[in-house]
Amino acid sequence: MSSAIFAAKKLLRKELKKKLCNMSDSQKAKESSTIAAKVLGSDQYKMAHNICVYVSMPEEVCTEHIITNILETKKSLFVPYFNKEEMVMVKIRDMDDYISLPVDTYGVRQPTDYREREHAMSTCGLDLILCPGLGFTENGLRIGRGKGYYDNYLTKYEKVWGKQPCTIALAYSVQMLDHVPTTESDRMLDHVFSV
């Protein structure tokens, strides 16, 4: 990555984090509810069976309602498990399983027994991935937190399965951008759902 793009991404991440911190809890709740309704009403969601959803941090679009709906409608729920090296998508059996997940240092429920759980990559594949991030363009460019977890996962997934699952970003209004600096390793998403 060129130093100019690296610097531009670093500055943009800082600006977006500030915007997210300035959002009120009520604005986050209102926008999260609107976005969740868009997801649940979308053809992409209705046709999907194996769905990966990020477990939201306080500054991200809340995914609790979507997670609940997946489990209630008997779709298969996968959530990310990540460490310093990689991210894998692991199956959550039911609501009791989800609620019992330990909370990590970021305040996110994450399975510690990920090695024993079903991994989407090696078993059933995914129909849909709901992606977090810091900023997005309407046409699917994304800037994340800089670790490359989703870009790397999607690249690996495509090598294993020969295709990419449908990808949808969930974005607050303050996260929508006209431009995102990118490199060849940045993956474009299929859709961005915002307010």
PDB file of all heavy atoms in Angstrom, residues 114-126:
ATOM      1  N   TYR A 114     -14.486 -21.720  19.530  1.00  0.00           N
ATOM      2  CA  TYR A 114     -14.647 -21.647  18.074  1.00  0.00           C
ATOM      3  C   TYR A 114     -14.075 -22.850  17.342  1.00  0.00           C
ATOM      4  O   TYR A 114     -14.536 -23.213  16.265  1.00  0.00           O
ATOM      5  CB  TYR A 114     -14.040 -20.344  17.530  1.00  0.00           C
ATOM      6  CG  TYR A 114     -12.535 -20.288  17.570  1.00  0.00           C
ATOM      7  CD1 TYR A 114     -11.781 -20.596  16.458  1.00  0.00           C
ATOM      8  CD2 TYR A 114     -11.868 -19.946  18.738  1.00  0.00           C
ATOM      9  CE1 TYR A 114     -10.403 -20.558  16.485  1.00  0.00           C
ATOM     10  CE2 TYR A 114     -10.491 -19.898  18.781  1.00  0.00           C
ATOM     11  CZ  TYR A 114      -9.759 -20.207  17.664  1.00  0.00           C
ATOM     12  OH  TYR A 114      -8.394 -20.170  17.703  1.00  0.00           O
ATOM     13  N   ARG A 115     -13.073 -23.499  17.902  1.00  0.00           N
ATOM     14  CA  ARG A 115     -12.477 -24.663  17.226  1.00  0.00           C
ATOM     15  C   ARG A 115     -13.456 -25.837  17.166  1.00  0.00           C
ATOM     16  O   ARG A 115     -13.404 -26.648  16.247  1.00  0.00           O
ATOM     17  CB  ARG A 115     -11.190 -25.091  17.936  1.00  0.00           C
ATOM     18  CG  ARG A 115     -10.024 -24.164  17.689  1.00  0.00           C
ATOM     19  CD  ARG A 115      -8.728 -24.696  18.316  1.00  0.00           C
ATOM     20  NE  ARG A 115      -7.638 -23.798  18.096  1.00  0.00           N
ATOM     21  CZ  ARG A 115      -7.307 -22.792  18.903  1.00  0.00           C
ATOM     22  NH1 ARG A 115      -8.000 -22.564  20.002  1.00  0.00           N
ATOM     23  NH2 ARG A 115      -6.279 -22.010  18.628  1.00  0.00           N
ATOM     24  N   GLU A 116     -14.341 -25.929  18.162  1.00  0.00           N
ATOM     25  CA  GLU A 116     -15.304 -27.028  18.211  1.00  0.00           C
ATOM     26  C   GLU A 116     -16.575 -26.735  17.413  1.00  0.00           C
ATOM     27  O   GLU A 116     -17.386 -27.616  17.182  1.00  0.00           O
ATOM     28  CB  GLU A 116     -15.691 -27.349  19.658  1.00  0.00           C
ATOM     29  CG  GLU A 116     -14.591 -27.992  20.477  1.00  0.00           C
ATOM     30  CD  GLU A 116     -13.569 -26.988  21.000  1.00  0.00           C
ATOM     31  OE1 GLU A 116     -13.989 -25.914  21.468  1.00  0.00           O
ATOM     32  OE2 GLU A 116     -12.363 -27.276  20.921  1.00  0.00           O
ATOM     33  N   ARG A 117     -16.770 -25.500  17.012  1.00  0.00           N
ATOM     34  CA  ARG A 117     -17.994 -25.107  16.312  1.00  0.00           C
ATOM     35  C   ARG A 117     -17.871 -25.329  14.810  1.00  0.00           C
ATOM     36  O   ARG A 117     -16.783 -25.342  14.251  1.00  0.00           O
ATOM     37  CB  ARG A 117     -18.315 -23.640  16.595  1.00  0.00           C
ATOM     38  CG  ARG A 117     -18.753 -23.398  18.021  1.00  0.00           C
ATOM     39  CD  ARG A 117     -19.042 -21.926  18.252  1.00  0.00           C
ATOM     40  NE  ARG A 117     -19.470 -21.693  19.606  1.00  0.00           N
ATOM     41  CZ  ARG A 117     -20.745 -21.647  19.984  1.00  0.00           C
ATOM     42  NH1 ARG A 117     -21.703 -21.791  19.091  1.00  0.00           N
ATOM     43  NH2 ARG A 117     -21.062 -21.443  21.243  1.00  0.00           N
ATOM     44  N   GLU A 118     -19.037 -25.423  14.164  1.00  0.00           N
ATOM     45  CA  GLU A 118     -19.090 -25.522  12.709  1.00  0.00           C
ATOM     46  C   GLU A 118     -18.601 -24.213  12.096  1.00  0.00           C
ATOM     47  O   GLU A 118     -19.040 -23.138  12.498  1.00  0.00           O
ATOM     48  CB  GLU A 118     -20.532 -25.797  12.279  1.00  0.00           C
ATOM     49  CG  GLU A 118     -20.714 -25.956  10.802  1.00  0.00           C
ATOM     50  CD  GLU A 118     -22.155 -26.237  10.421  1.00  0.00           C
ATOM     51  OE1 GLU A 118     -22.899 -26.854  11.221  1.00  0.00           O
ATOM     52  OE2 GLU A 118     -22.541 -25.840   9.305  1.00  0.00           O
ATOM     53  N   HIS A 119     -17.682 -24.327  11.144  1.00  0.00           N
ATOM     54  CA  HIS A 119     -17.160 -23.170  10.426  1.00  0.00           C
ATOM     55  C   HIS A 119     -17.825 -23.117   9.048  1.00  0.00           C
ATOM     56  O   HIS A 119     -17.825 -24.107   8.327  1.00  0.00           O
ATOM     57  CB  HIS A 119     -15.644 -23.277  10.235  1.00  0.00           C
ATOM     58  CG  HIS A 119     -14.876 -23.088  11.503  1.00  0.00           C
ATOM     59  ND1 HIS A 119     -13.684 -22.419  11.534  1.00  0.00           N
ATOM     60  CD2 HIS A 119     -15.119 -23.469  12.773  1.00  0.00           C
ATOM     61  CE1 HIS A 119     -13.218 -22.397  12.777  1.00  0.00           C
ATOM     62  NE2 HIS A 119     -14.077 -23.032  13.546  1.00  0.00           N
ATOM     63  N   ALA A 120     -18.339 -21.950   8.683  1.00  0.00           N
ATOM     64  CA  ALA A 120     -19.032 -21.813   7.398  1.00  0.00           C
ATOM     65  C   ALA A 120     -18.116 -22.126   6.221  1.00  0.00           C
ATOM     66  O   ALA A 120     -18.544 -22.742   5.245  1.00  0.00           O
ATOM     67  CB  ALA A 120     -19.600 -20.408   7.262  1.00  0.00           C
ATOM     68  N   MET A 121     -16.875 -21.715   6.305  1.00  0.00           N
ATOM     69  CA  MET A 121     -15.939 -21.891   5.191  1.00  0.00           C
ATOM     70  C   MET A 121     -15.751 -23.365   4.842  1.00  0.00           C
ATOM     71  O   MET A 121     -15.682 -23.729   3.677  1.00  0.00           O
ATOM     72  CB  MET A 121     -14.582 -21.269   5.536  1.00  0.00           C
ATOM     73  CG  MET A 121     -13.551 -21.352   4.428  1.00  0.00           C
ATOM     74  SD  MET A 121     -13.670 -20.026   3.232  1.00  0.00           S
ATOM     75  CE  MET A 121     -13.120 -18.633   4.183  1.00  0.00           C
ATOM     76  N   SER A 122     -15.674 -24.220   5.857  1.00  0.00           N
ATOM     77  CA  SER A 122     -15.335 -25.617   5.615  1.00  0.00           C
ATOM     78  C   SER A 122     -16.536 -26.555   5.604  1.00  0.00           C
ATOM     79  O   SER A 122     -16.381 -27.748   5.363  1.00  0.00           O
ATOM     80  CB  SER A 122     -14.330 -26.093   6.665  1.00  0.00           C
ATOM     81  OG  SER A 122     -14.878 -25.955   7.957  1.00  0.00           O
ATOM     82  N   THR A 123     -17.738 -26.030   5.845  1.00  0.00           N
ATOM     83  CA  THR A 123     -18.898 -26.930   5.888  1.00  0.00           C
ATOM     84  C   THR A 123     -19.959 -26.551   4.862  1.00  0.00           C
ATOM     85  O   THR A 123     -20.006 -27.104   3.784  1.00  0.00           O
ATOM     86  CB  THR A 123     -19.514 -26.987   7.296  1.00  0.00           C
ATOM     87  OG1 THR A 123     -19.874 -25.666   7.703  1.00  0.00           O
ATOM     88  CG2 THR A 123     -18.559 -27.590   8.301  1.00  0.00           C
ATOM     89  N   CYS A 124     -20.774 -25.571   5.157  1.00  0.00           N
ATOM     90  CA  CYS A 124     -21.969 -25.303   4.353  1.00  0.00           C
ATOM     91  C   CYS A 124     -21.878 -24.075   3.460  1.00  0.00           C
ATOM     92  O   CYS A 124     -22.718 -23.858   2.599  1.00  0.00           O
ATOM     93  CB  CYS A 124     -23.174 -25.162   5.266  1.00  0.00           C
ATOM     94  SG  CYS A 124     -22.984 -23.821   6.459  1.00  0.00           S
ATOM     95  N   GLY A 125     -20.890 -23.228   3.675  1.00  0.00           N
ATOM     96  CA  GLY A 125     -20.819 -21.977   2.927  1.00  0.00           C
ATOM     97  C   GLY A 125     -21.817 -20.955   3.457  1.00  0.00           C
ATOM     98  O   GLY A 125     -22.569 -21.223   4.392  1.00  0.00           O
ATOM     99  N   LEU A 126     -21.796 -19.777   2.870  1.00  0.00           N
ATOM    100  CA  LEU A 126     -22.670 -18.685   3.299  1.00  0.00           C
ATOM    101  C   LEU A 126     -23.436 -18.133   2.102  1.00  0.00           C
ATOM    102  O   LEU A 126     -22.905 -18.056   1.006  1.00  0.00           O
ATOM    103  CB  LEU A 126     -21.843 -17.562   3.936  1.00  0.00           C
ATOM    104  CG  LEU A 126     -21.186 -17.892   5.270  1.00  0.00           C
ATOM    105  CD1 LEU A 126     -20.131 -16.853   5.614  1.00  0.00           C
ATOM    106  CD2 LEU A 126     -22.234 -17.993   6.373  1.00  0.00           C
TER     107      LEU A 126
END
